[in-house]
Structure formats: C-alpha cells, structure tokens
Amino acid sequence: MSVDGEAVRLRGEADEPGWEVDPDDEWGVAVITTVGRQLKLRREAVGMRAADFGRAVGYGEDMVYKIEGGKRIPRQDYLNAADEVLGADGLIAATWEDVKKVRYPKKVRELGKLEAAAVEIALYECHIIAGLLQTPAHARAVIGAAQPPYSPDDVERMVAARLARQSVFERSPVPALSFVLEEGVLRRPIGGTMVWRQQLERLLEVGRLHNVVLQVMPMSCDTHSGLDGRIELLKFPDGTAVGRSDGAFNGRPITDPKHLRILELRYGTIRAQALSPRESLDLIEQLLGET
C-alpha cells in the first residue's frame, strides 16, 4: 500500500498491540466485547471487509479482528478514526468514555476508586518512591525495570494507570496525605540523572503542599518499625477505613478495627522515627544539589 508514492506500514501486533483484556475483569470484558460488537456490526453494515477497514483506520487486519472480538482494548485514536470512516456521527467516538474506564488493570482501578474517595491517605513505602509521587519518566523507568520485562505497550498502560491515580492532588476538598519514604531509595538514581533530578524536584513540590506531610526515614536510624514492608491506610468520610501491609495479615486489604489499629500503631511509630517534614525537605534539597 502507498500514499503519494510512500509506503505506509499499518500498525499491528508488533508495534501497536493495543491493551489486552484481563479475562478475570468481568466488567472490562463486558465493555470491550460490547464496543467490539458495535464496531463489527457497523463495519459490516457499510459493506467493508476487515482488511479494507484496517487500511482506512491505519491498523492491520489482525488488530481489527482482535478489537471486534473483544480481545483487545481499542485506543482513542482507533475509535475516532473508525467513527469517521464508518460515518457514525460521533457514536463510535463516544464509546471512549466507557473504554477509558476499563483500560487500566482491575486492581489499579479498584485502588484508584478507594484513593479518590478517601479523606486521609497515609503511606509508608520502603523499596520505591510511592506511585502517587512518581513522575511519568520515573514511573516508566521503575515499571520498565521489572523482570521478566513487560512489553512496551504494557509499560505505557501501567504508567498511565499510575499517573491517573495522582488526580487525588486535584480534588476539592483535598484529602490529607502523609508519606514516609526511605533515604536509601532517594539516593538511587533510577532512570538516570535527569529523570532522578525531576523526581526529586517533584518530591519537593508535593512536600510543600499544605495538605501533604512528606517524611524521610534516615539511613542512620538505628530503630526501624517498618522492616516488615509497605503500609497503606485509607480513611473515608463515613469513618470507615481500609489498610494493607506487606508484612501483616498476608498482605490483604483489611477493615477490621483491631487490625487497623495495629497498622496505625506501626505507621505512627514509623513517622516518629523518621525525620521531621522540614528536615526531610532539607535532605531532598541536599540530594538534589548533589546530582
């Protein structure tokens, strides 16, 4: 195929695979299956073969069949192009409002919903910068370092999901946010010098917000109550709460008041052992100056 004498390569599995549908995500499967069926019915109604339609929207025939079969999550550009090619007057493009709600993994969506409803979020992170604090480039470097490696498309999907959770900083009224990070993590230049500088600058920016308390657990601390791993506590307007810890209750989300008190005690002790918010920002500024 050529346009104005230049070869055009259609996007397909190798370079633009689309997002896979998690078979265990019942709602996601239902949405993507319905959208795919609508696309197929409209394509057949205008008498277009899948190969011709694929060329018209810039995707390979294999991708067309996968999207229509509910096996792949279509991107917004695919839906917009399909709407134009099929003369749908915006009806296909409008399905993006439903698709974008299920484009992220189910676990991330559920966490995002909880964080979006919480009035208090408290998080101790021991191995990485908390996802709510990561810059896009740093998130990409962290996720991309996993072994076995994710596909480039899966990395971008996970980065987008992580960044979407950061809408908690834009809520009104804003929630109370508390973070404790490890000094050792702050000294590891994941992604290279420039990516790391941007990440440290982001921490300083967030740490100065009036609704955020950001603390650093110093490497010199000889007593540490966070050795069991990550702790997250979310509190909601109705007085209920949910918590999770890597080293307690099998890492499962908990709502039992007795169990929550244990996590609150651990988190409170960790905060007491960490540097003060002012000292923490001073340390981050010092690290930024050393990069």
Side-chain angles (χ1 to χ4, degrees):
M1 176 185 176
S2 65
V3 176
D4 295 331
E6 296 183 4
V8 176
R9 187 165 66 91
L10 300 177
R11 288 171 288 183
E13 287 286 330
D15 55 340
E16 190 96 24
W19 292 322
E20 293 185 1
V21 181
D22 182 355
D24 294 327
D25 183 0
E26 294 181 1
W27 181 43
V29 169
V31 169
I32 301 308
T33 299
T34 300
V35 170
R37 185 181 299 113
Q38 292 177 2
L39 284 164
K40 181 180 181 180
L41 290 173
R42 285 184 175 275
R43 174 179 63 79
E44 292 177 341
V46 299
M48 289 190 75
R49 297 184 306 166
D52 296 332
F53 175 75
R55 284 191 290 270
V57 298
Y59 281 76
E61 182 180 3
D62 60 338
M63 182 59 62
V64 173
Y65 281 126
K66 288 180 180 296
I67 290 176
E68 291 183 350
K71 304 299 183 183
R72 298 279 178 169
I73 302 174
R75 296 175 180 270
Q76 187 173 20
D77 68 326
Y78 183 98
L79 295 173
N80 288 341
D83 191 279
E84 182 176 352
V85 169
L86 299 177
D89 296 325
L91 294 178
I92 291 179
T95 62
W96 175 248
E97 292 302 312
D98 294 316
V99 171
K100 71 180 182 181
K101 295 176 183 177
V102 299
R103 59 180 168 160
Y104 304 135
K106 182 179 179 180
K107 290 183 178 179
V108 176
R109 292 203 314 268
E110 292 174 346
L111 177 59
K113 287 181 180 179
L114 290 174
E115 291 173 339
V119 293
E120 293 183 36
I121 298 176
L123 180 63
Y124 163 66
E125 190 65 80
C126 52
H127 299 304
I128 62 171
I129 300 294
L132 289 176
L133 302 174
Q134 292 179 7
T135 65
H138 180 69
R140 192 169 291 110
V142 170
I143 296 171
Q147 290 295 332
Y150 297 107
S151 70
D153 196 76
D154 282 339
V155 170
E156 291 307 311
R157 182 188 184 193
M158 295 170 72
V159 169
R162 185 162 297 180
L163 298 180
R165 290 170 47 213
Q166 296 180 7
S167 62
V168 296
F169 292 105
E170 303 167 3
R171 283 171 44 194
S172 180
V174 293
L177 301 167
S178 170
F179 300 95
V180 181
L181 307 176
E182 288 288 339
E183 179 184 347
V185 172
L186 299 181
R187 291 184 176 277
R188 185 173 295 117
I190 300 295
T193 301
M194 291 308 299
V195 169
W196 195 236
R197 284 189 60 86
Q198 293 171 357
Q199 181 60 69
L200 293 177
E201 290 169 351
R202 174 59 177 166
L203 293 179
L204 289 174
E205 176 187 357
V206 174
R208 292 173 179 141
L209 296 175
H210 71 91
N211 63 311
V212 175
V213 175
L214 177 61
Q215 294 178 258
V216 176
M217 177 66 77
M219 296 177 66
S220 60
C221 184
D222 58 7
T223 303
H224 195 326
S225 298
L227 298 179
D228 278 345
R230 182 178 188 270
I231 295 175
E232 184 172 25
L233 291 164
L234 305 176
K235 297 184 179 181
F236 305 101
D238 61 0
T240 60
V242 62
R244 189 177 73 81
S245 172
D246 290 342
F249 315 114
N250 298 318
R252 294 175 299 194
I254 59 168
T255 57
D256 183 276
K258 293 181 180 179
H259 293 163
L260 287 170
R261 279 196 291 272
I262 293 174
L263 294 189
E264 289 174 345
L265 174 61
R266 291 184 182 180
Y267 186 75
T269 305
I270 291 170
R271 288 194 60 185
Q273 294 167 340
L275 298 176
S276 71
R278 180 65 265 173
E279 291 171 332
S280 298
L281 292 181
D282 288 344
L283 175 60
I284 295 173
E285 288 179 338
Q286 175 188 327
L287 294 176
L288 182 59
E290 294 174 356
T291 60

